[in-house]
Amino acid sequence: MITQPLLPARSHWRAAALLASALFLFGAASASADRLERHFKVEAHPVVTIHNPNGTIVVRAWTKSEVMVVATRATPQIEVFVEQTGNRVDILTHQVSGAATPADLRADYEISVPENAELEIHDDSGGVNVSNVLGDMNVETIAADVALQDAAGYLTVKTVGGAFQCLRCAGRLEVTSISGSFRLIDLRSYSVRAQTSTGNILFNGAFLPNASYHLKNYSGLIEVRFSPGDSFDISATSLKGKVHNEASLTPSSHRHFIPRFGNALFGTFNAGRAKVELSSFDGTISILKRD
Amino acid sequence: MSTTGCNEFVGHLEQWMEGERPSGSQAHLRECPNCRALAGDLEAIREAARTSAVPEAEPPAHVWVLLRAQLEQEGLIRDGRRAGWLESLKAHLGGTFAILPRPALAGAYLAAVIAVAVALVAPGVRQPDESRWIAGNQSATQPLSAQLASAEQDTVSTWTDSNPAVTASLHQNLAIVDNYIALCEKSVLEEPENEFARDYLYGAYQQKAALLAQMSERGE
């Protein structure tokens, strides 16, 4: 006689994961251990949150249906909490003692996630590096630099002073900073909003049809690269700075509010299928041919 | 065909929103989808403010005193209709404040004040001569500037963070924003009708409000 399980195997581990929400504490009690490795079974589209005041966070996608967290802490002055609740994994670095130097409070993470994972990352200082993750993500830092590679989804990045680089990203991107510079390389995004105060902005990516690209700073350089086959309608305005242009533009048919001040350039390149808006207060805007 | 252009229509937008409908503007609106959309958006915003007015907790009274003084100084309050609009806006913002958690209140409050000020000095309410532009800009920016300075003093005096990299970054970037505010204020003073400079100035104000709110929340 063959006994059938009451639930399919998949449901068994799902129930186990939901019921046995695990809390792992990597704390002061295990003072000699400064490396933690934990694995969590997850379903599609898991959510992973990471809160780390100081240290590097490296997130990579892999093909397994699990989240692996490898944490390395500098000293026992901090605890690392890793908790799974359903299809969500929360990772938190917590200071145990008030009397610690900044170096004591550093924790570095290497995290592997399914490629459709959604990420929420807070890292004040150190650095954030995410690659091959296709889910939505929100990254906030103060001084930490942020680097994304082959990411997609709805990407929102906010830094105070950290630089940002996006390599081969797709989807929708919103990035803001005060003094961080942005490098947007080989981008295939249909919506880009990038604003920084003193940072430079380099855009060297595809201008997708019906896509919009808004790049804005106060000072510094905004550099946009284009190819002969690109198609965009562009406006570029710098109040106190210069606008350099290598594109052969035809007059745009739908410009209404031409500013009376500053240096401005409006026009259409080829069919004008993408919308590009560049603005700076006293920075330089360069629209250059791609090498 | 309409002889009224987009710039002219936008210049009379305030009167349009007050119900004055010259034939030239009407003709232009029939022909121009962008201006039609703009007028429609403003009407929708006004309607939303009117319909969402509910009795809720109020922001500090001096906000409305400040706004009223500013409106009167700029000669924008002429009859009961505009005051009614202001009351709706006040109630609308009051409702928004009521649902916000306390830590977010300071930043949201400053951001809202700045947003209202942006709306008040937008191209739609432009003044006919430069002296009024200057007066309008000053009356709009000076209270904001003073409030931000006060908020900065409060925040920085109580600010502590164990991470020197974070402390240095926040102070450095606050100085950057302050510098841009000074540059933009100078630019607005030199060219009072420069919408571009004014946009950047209010953007810098908002950036500073957001940064102070971030510092304030970390300090709690």
Side-chain angles (χ1 to χ4, degrees):
Chain A
M1 181 179 166
I2 300 171
T3 304
Q4 293 290 325
L6 293 174
L7 293 169
R10 179 181 167 84
S11 296
H12 273 310
W13 73 252
R14 178 199 288 185
L18 288 169
L19 292 171
S21 171
L23 169 65
F24 293 94
L25 172 62
F26 175 54
S30 54
S32 60
D34 55 7
R35 185 178 184 278
L36 165 79
E37 181 174 330
R38 292 287 183 268
H39 295 250
F40 302 93
K41 287 285 185 189
V42 291
E43 297 178 64
H45 305 286
V47 176
V48 179
T49 73
I50 306 145
H51 288 257
N52 187 34
N54 181 23
T56 59
I57 298 171
V58 178
V59 183
R60 299 186 189 91
W62 64 359
T63 56
K64 298 178 184 177
S65 294
E66 68 175 46
V67 172
M68 181 180 76
V69 180
V70 177
T72 306
R73 60 177 181 164
T75 67
Q77 306 272 20
I78 51 172
E79 292 171 337
V80 173
F81 291 93
V82 187
E83 180 182 22
Q84 181 175 22
T85 308
N87 206 32
R88 174 190 180 98
V89 176
D90 297 307
I91 302 159
L92 172 68
T93 309
H94 173 68
Q95 183 177 346
V96 176
S97 163
T101 67
D104 294 336
L105 304 178
R106 182 183 179 94
D108 298 324
Y109 291 93
E110 289 189 31
I111 300 164
S112 300
V113 300
E115 69 173 12
N116 55 21
E118 294 180 15
L119 303 177
E120 174 89 31
I121 300 174
H122 293 255
D123 190 33
D124 291 343
S125 60
V128 176
N129 193 312
V130 180
S131 50
N132 298 101
V133 178
L134 306 182
D136 296 347
M137 65 183 81
N138 177 41
V139 183
E140 292 190 15
T141 80
I142 292 181
D145 294 343
V146 179
L148 309 182
Q149 292 96 43
D150 301 296
Y154 186 0
L155 313 174
T156 56
V157 178
K158 184 179 178 184
T159 82
V160 173
F164 172 66
Q165 175 169 295
C166 211
L167 185 61
R168 296 182 300 275
C169 294
R172 178 176 176 179
L173 172 64
E174 290 180 10
V175 53
T176 60
S177 180
I178 293 177
S179 59
S181 288
F182 306 153
R183 289 172 56 82
L184 313 176
I185 309 294
D186 293 336
L187 223 61
R188 292 195 58 80
S189 294
Y190 60 86
S191 175
V192 175
R193 282 192 172 273
Q195 179 175 343
T196 178
S197 290
T198 55
N200 299 328
I201 303 176
L202 168 64
F203 180 95
N204 191 352
F207 294 100
L208 302 180
N210 303 315
S212 62
Y213 306 90
H214 300 264
L215 313 180
K216 180 178 182 180
N217 70 7
Y218 276 77
S219 62
L221 173 68
I222 296 177
E223 183 177 312
V224 171
R225 295 274 175 172
F226 69 93
S227 295
D230 286 333
S231 173
F232 53 81
D233 190 273
I234 193 166
S235 73
T237 307
S238 182
L239 184 62
K240 306 281 185 185
K242 293 180 178 175
V243 178
H244 299 298
N245 173 43
E246 293 182 354
S248 298
L249 302 175
T250 56
S252 179
S253 59
H254 52 275
R255 285 291 158 211
H256 269 182
F257 304 111
I258 297 174
R260 290 168 292 167
F261 302 91
N263 299 303
L265 172 82
F266 301 96
T268 298
F269 189 70
N270 290 330
R273 299 183 70 182
K275 183 180 180 185
V276 181
E277 286 190 8
L278 315 174
S279 64
S280 183
F281 185 78
D282 61 8
T284 299
I285 297 174
S286 293
I287 303 151
L288 305 175
K289 289 176 184 171
R290 194 169 285 134
D291 295 331
Chain B
M1 184 178 168
S2 167
T3 54
T4 301
C6 291
N7 286 333
E8 192 179 349
F9 178 79
V10 170
H12 293 95
L13 198 52
E14 180 196 5
Q15 289 84 352
W16 178 269
M17 295 306 294
E18 289 297 321
E20 293 174 22
R21 304 291 156 92
S23 58
S25 293
Q26 288 186 40
H28 176 73
L29 213 62
R30 278 195 295 274
E31 294 168 2
C32 177
N34 288 334
C35 288
R36 199 161 54 237
L38 177 64
D41 286 347
L42 287 173
E43 188 60 49
I45 290 167
R46 180 163 62 179
E47 189 57 30
R50 185 183 294 133
T51 56
S52 63
V54 288
E56 293 282 2
E58 299 208 344
H62 71 268
V63 174
W64 310 116
V65 174
L66 182 153
L67 287 174
R68 174 164 286 280
Q70 182 178 310
L71 290 168
E72 287 172 348
Q73 188 173 344
E74 293 181 21
L76 294 174
I77 297 178
R78 289 197 298 265
D79 55 39
R81 278 181 300 171
R82 189 182 294 277
W85 190 7
L86 180 65
E87 288 303 311
S88 297
L89 183 61
K90 170 184 170 180
H92 181 64
L93 288 177
T96 306
F97 281 120
I99 60 169
L100 286 172
R102 292 301 296 179
L105 199 58
Y109 160 66
L110 281 171
V113 170
I114 291 165
V116 169
V118 170
L120 291 175
V121 294
V125 291
R126 63 181 50 171
Q127 305 298 318
D129 60 73
E130 188 164 293
S131 61
R132 294 203 68 193
W133 266 103
I134 293 171
N137 282 328
Q138 284 179 338
S139 67
T141 58
Q142 282 175 349
L144 289 177
S145 194
Q147 288 209 355
L148 283 168
S150 171
E152 180 176 359
Q153 199 171 15
D154 292 346
T155 304
V156 172
S157 65
T158 57
W159 164 255
T160 55
D161 196 292
S162 57
N163 188 336
V166 169
T167 302
S169 181
L170 287 171
H171 279 112
Q172 181 189 345
N173 284 282
L174 192 57
I176 287 170
V177 175
D178 280 338
N179 180 47
Y180 277 107
I181 286 174
L183 287 174
C184 292
E185 283 176 341
K186 181 170 178 285
S187 192
V188 168
L189 198 64
E190 289 169 352
E191 297 172 328
E193 293 188 55
N194 188 335
E195 303 96 337
F196 200 81
R198 213 169 44 245
D199 285 348
Y200 267 88
L201 174 59
Y202 285 112
Y205 282 149
Q206 286 174 321
Q207 213 166 31
K208 182 168 179 174
L211 191 57
L212 291 174
Q214 193 175 9
M215 292 173 75
S216 176
E217 284 169 27
R218 290 179 62 86
E220 288 186 355

